[in-house]
Amino acid sequence: MAVLAALLLALAGALVAPASAATAGPVRNGVSQPVYSYTKAVRETVWVDTGLDGDGDGRVDRVAADIIRPSEPAAAGLKIPVIMDASPYYSCCGRGNESQLKTYDSKGHPVQFPLYYDNYFVPRGYAVVLVDLTGTNRSDGCVDVGGPSDVTSAKAVVDWLNGRAVGHSARTGGTAVTPTWANGSVGMIGKSWDGTVANGVAATGVAGLKTIVPISAISSWYDYYRSQGAPLYSGTPADLAGDVESSGATSRCRAEQSTLAAGAPYSGDWTSLWQQRDYVASVAKVKASVFVVHGMQDLNVRTVNFGQWWDALASTGVDRKIWLSQTGHVDPFDYRRSAWVDTLHSWFDHYLMGVDNGIQNGPVADVERAPDQWSQDAGWPAPGTVQSAVHLNPGTLGGTSNSGSVSFTDDPSRDENAWAADADRSTPDKTVFSSAPLAGDLRLSGSGSVTLTVTPSTASAHLSAVLVDLGPATIRNYAGSGEGIRTLTTRSCWGTSGTGDSACYLDTAADTTQVGATVFSRGWIDLGHYASLNHGVALTPGTAYTMTVDLAATDHVVPAGHRLALTVAGTDNGLIDPPASRPTLTVDLSRSALRLPLVGGAGSLHVPAKPALDGPGLTSLTARELPLGAAAFR
């Protein structure tokens, strides 16, 4: 063993720059190398004190952290960084396209670590730590759906890895465990709830968290369940907690379940529960670099979540990178596998091992333009983007001012796809504003908004606003079962396999569909929250109300020859719940405004000099330009 340790130390010294030799894994040509044995890796579980007693049993809650790490670095006197995925899904639902669960041997030692992170990164000198959030799998406590318990249970493990928390060899106590093998540098990663927790932990400013990679993640839980007062089709936090909590937690966590139910009223009010779960509000504390990944057609974790998080992070000065796909709620491992693994590898090497590989100086944004076709930008929103006010007139985007009025009646049976299909046909449930066919490509990059002055006929009303690209296209089938991907029967391997933990995963391919129109940005409101999100009120029929609908972040090119359209309607079936009544709504366009993030500003929106014969036209389109980000957040 002594000879092996000496050999490994010499090898590491030959491969790693002297400044990082004491802490980094072996590096050659700017890339960490797979020189360590995966099959001989140390597999252990440590239970970490959280300082909480969420289940009220009089004992401090402990969370289970399953660890896999190469055995050789410690023998060679090297400390290593950690890749951590904290999740509620390790026993109930699984992770990845194949829904992998954690598995254990007869003595309770971890065998299968879901996803490829362990297979790929452990041989390269990283530890992988998978944490069961409180109330799930083998952890104590109660699930609180993004609240202090969720965040603290993951933060406690970061603290333990940095010597600030106590770890134990058993759930009931055992002996104290100290991570003498860890160098204190932690990167958190995960999709959906997992990535959401990474956002929440970063927003605590915890020392030692060097980077996060939130994939399809929530930045404010209100915006998962509500949209400016309108209830979304997402169930309730109490339902979600019940779905993931361990069997033992079900009976002891009834008080937490009641708290979740009471704090998330169907009314859509902005309660203290939501405020507690708004990580954007604490963005100033973020010190970690952030690599955001999101599907622009994600109708589970809607894109407002990445957009507001990304925009808020700009004020912190932390390094940022972003990938935006045309998929729904899908991991990049399943739509751009090889490029993703290489990019993530470089990202972790730089921010966790200190490798000077230049990734922080490369393109900031990768955007999928068509299935498997990507472009890159030096920043995001794209350089040259300007918030531009575009005028609204009945039937058209354009003119020299906003004028006229339009009316429609809420029809809860209709949705955004039906509206888009009927864009050129008058129907009573919507109003459409469209340009003539564009003379050149038009790119929208970022978040827009539409301010509407609306008079309802009843005491309650919901509004939907969607941006549509009117024209034929081949897109990812984000509405399909795979949300834009097909799972194949072949497998490819990413790292080293071990007994009970394969590194080989089912391959995927793009699932595409032909469409005549593409909805690419959306927003929904409850008009009863026109004055404040804190408390909705009954509307007075016949009274005009003004409210701004936030159009969620996107990056889309409307090609030359296509038309850009804004649809305004009531209930977007399948995405928001209908109001208590079925109002007719009249929109005063002279007191309304559309603001779009146009690359090149309003001058980039070129239309023919004469209106087209096959659709709504305009002879000119004027707009005044506003500073980027001028639209209100809420």
Side-chain angles (χ1 to χ4, degrees):
M1 177 62 79
V3 174
L4 174 61
L7 177 61
L8 286 166
L9 184 60
L11 175 62
L15 298 179
V16 184
S20 57
T23 57
V27 175
R28 181 186 295 119
N29 299 324
V31 180
S32 60
Q33 300 296 308
V35 301
Y36 298 134
S37 171
Y38 178 79
T39 57
K40 296 180 181 179
V42 176
R43 293 166 172 81
E44 60 187 336
T45 303
V46 174
W47 278 265
V48 178
D49 288 344
T50 65
L52 304 174
D53 181 13
D55 51 16
D57 63 357
R59 296 184 294 110
V60 172
D61 297 335
R62 290 174 179 152
V63 291
D66 290 317
I67 302 165
I68 180 169
R69 56 185 174 86
S71 59
E72 300 93 338
L78 298 174
K79 295 179 182 292
I80 59 175
V82 167
I83 297 169
M84 188 169 102
D85 188 341
S87 176
Y89 293 127
Y90 287 130
S91 63
C92 79
C93 313
R95 307 311 296 130
N97 193 34
E98 298 177 50
S99 301
Q100 290 186 316
L101 303 173
K102 285 182 177 178
T103 63
Y104 303 90
D105 65 18
S106 59
K107 296 182 179 180
H109 300 141
V111 175
Q112 177 170 271
F113 287 72
L115 305 178
Y116 69 97
Y117 305 140
D118 58 313
N119 309 91
Y120 187 85
F121 285 105
V122 167
R124 289 167 168 80
Y126 293 86
V128 171
V129 178
L130 305 186
V131 180
D132 298 329
L133 293 183
T134 48
T136 70
N137 202 19
R138 301 200 295 173
S139 289
D140 300 331
C142 299
V143 178
D144 69 352
V145 188
S149 185
D150 264 15
V151 173
T152 301
S153 62
K155 176 181 176 294
V157 179
V158 178
D159 284 331
W160 174 71
L161 290 163
N162 282 271
R164 299 186 298 268
V166 179
H168 306 269
S169 62
R171 187 173 186 173
T172 55
T175 59
V177 179
T178 302
T180 56
W181 47 268
N183 70 5
S185 293
V186 181
M188 292 186 68
I189 189 171
K191 178 192 167 193
S192 198
W193 197 332
D194 306 19
T196 301
V197 172
N199 284 341
V201 175
T204 70
V206 61
L209 183 62
K210 299 300 179 63
T211 191
I212 62 171
V213 185
I215 301 167
S216 304
I218 297 165
S219 61
S220 175
W221 281 87
Y222 179 89
D223 295 302
Y224 183 74
Y225 287 102
R226 306 287 184 262
S227 178
Q228 297 185 259
L232 304 174
Y233 281 117
S234 303
T236 69
D239 292 338
L240 188 56
D243 289 341
V244 303
E245 65 189 3
S246 61
S247 58
T250 300
S251 58
R252 67 175 183 262
C253 294
R254 299 194 189 285
E256 182 61 47
Q257 291 262 4
S258 297
T259 298
L260 290 172
Y266 188 74
S267 66
D269 289 350
W270 174 246
T271 64
S272 59
L273 180 140
W274 299 125
Q275 294 167 33
Q276 197 176 45
R277 290 159 175 78
D278 178 18
Y279 312 133
V280 180
S282 300
V283 73
K285 297 179 182 178
V286 176
K287 301 184 183 78
S289 62
V290 182
F291 188 172
V292 170
V293 181
H294 217 100
M296 291 184 288
Q297 295 289 8
D298 191 339
L299 297 178
N300 179 348
V301 178
R302 296 159 183 85
T303 63
V304 62
N305 280 279
F306 91 77
Q308 64 193 10
W309 184 238
W310 179 266
D311 291 344
L313 285 166
S315 65
T316 67
V318 301
D319 289 351
R320 296 179 298 160
K321 188 173 180 64
I322 190 167
W323 272 25
L324 298 175
S325 73
Q326 288 193 347
T327 67
H329 198 61
V330 181
D331 192 293
F333 187 72
D334 293 318
Y335 60 73
R336 201 186 183 196
R337 186 167 295 181
S338 180
W340 170 245
V341 173
D342 287 346
T343 303
L344 186 65
H345 184 181
S346 294
W347 185 264
F348 281 148
D349 275 359
H350 179 71
Y351 289 102
L352 298 182
M353 285 192 177
V355 177
D356 185 12
N357 54 25
I359 193 167
Q360 76 281 13
N361 300 320
V364 167
D366 281 33
V367 180
E368 189 176 27
R369 292 280 156 236
D372 293 325
Q373 298 178 25
W374 293 76
S375 66
Q376 294 183 318
D377 288 285
W380 199 86
T385 300
V386 180
Q387 283 285 348
S388 303
V390 178
H391 296 301
L392 298 173
N393 288 274
T396 67
L397 295 172
T400 58
S401 63
N402 298 329
S403 62
S405 65
V406 293
S407 297
F408 55 90
T409 301
D410 192 347
D411 181 351
S413 70
R414 299 268 287 172
D415 66 14
E416 60 188 36
N417 294 314
W419 301 333
D422 287 339
D424 292 326
R425 187 170 70 90
S426 177
T427 60
D429 59 301
K430 71 177 189 324
T431 186
V432 178
F433 309 90
S434 72
S435 75
L438 301 177
D441 291 352
L442 175 68
R443 181 177 178 185
L444 297 88
S445 181
S447 305
S449 67
V450 57
T451 299
L452 299 170
T453 299
V454 181
T455 301
S457 65
T458 62
S460 62
H462 293 166
L463 286 171
S464 300
V466 298
L467 293 175
V468 190
D469 176 345
L470 296 176
T474 300
I475 66 170
R476 284 188 182 265
N477 184 22
Y478 65 87
S481 60
E483 299 191 50
I485 66 163
R486 291 183 295 113
T487 302
L488 308 179
T489 58
T490 58
R491 290 184 180 270
S492 56
C493 303
W494 301 86
T496 306
S497 295
T499 302
D501 195 326
S502 173
C504 304
Y505 294 84
L506 290 170
D507 295 318
T508 63
D511 177 20
T512 64
T513 186
Q514 304 291 320
V515 296
T518 306
V519 175
F520 62 89
S521 181
R522 308 159 174 88
W524 310 277
I525 62 167
D526 167 54
L527 196 58
H529 284 83
Y530 73 94
S532 170
L533 279 185
N534 294 333
H535 183 61
V537 298
L539 303 170
T540 301
T543 299
Y545 299 91
T546 299
M547 194 169 182
T548 297
V549 187
D550 297 328
L551 297 172
T554 188
D555 197 302
H556 183 83
V557 174
V558 183
H562 287 204
R563 291 177 289 146
L564 172 64
L566 168 71
T567 300
V568 178
T571 301
D572 192 348
N573 183 34
L575 293 177
I576 64 170
D577 284 344
S581 57
R582 302 292 178 267
T584 295
L585 300 122
T586 300
V587 183
D588 181 354
L589 298 179
S590 68
R591 298 166 60 192
S592 300
L594 172 64
R595 294 181 176 89
L596 299 178
L598 302 181
V599 179
S604 64
L605 208 167
H606 301 295
V607 295
K610 296 181 180 180
L613 298 177
D614 60 347
L618 54 141
T619 57
S620 65
L621 189 147
T622 62
R624 60 184 175 85
E625 296 181 351
L626 302 172
L628 184 61
F633 166 58
R634 282 196 165 90

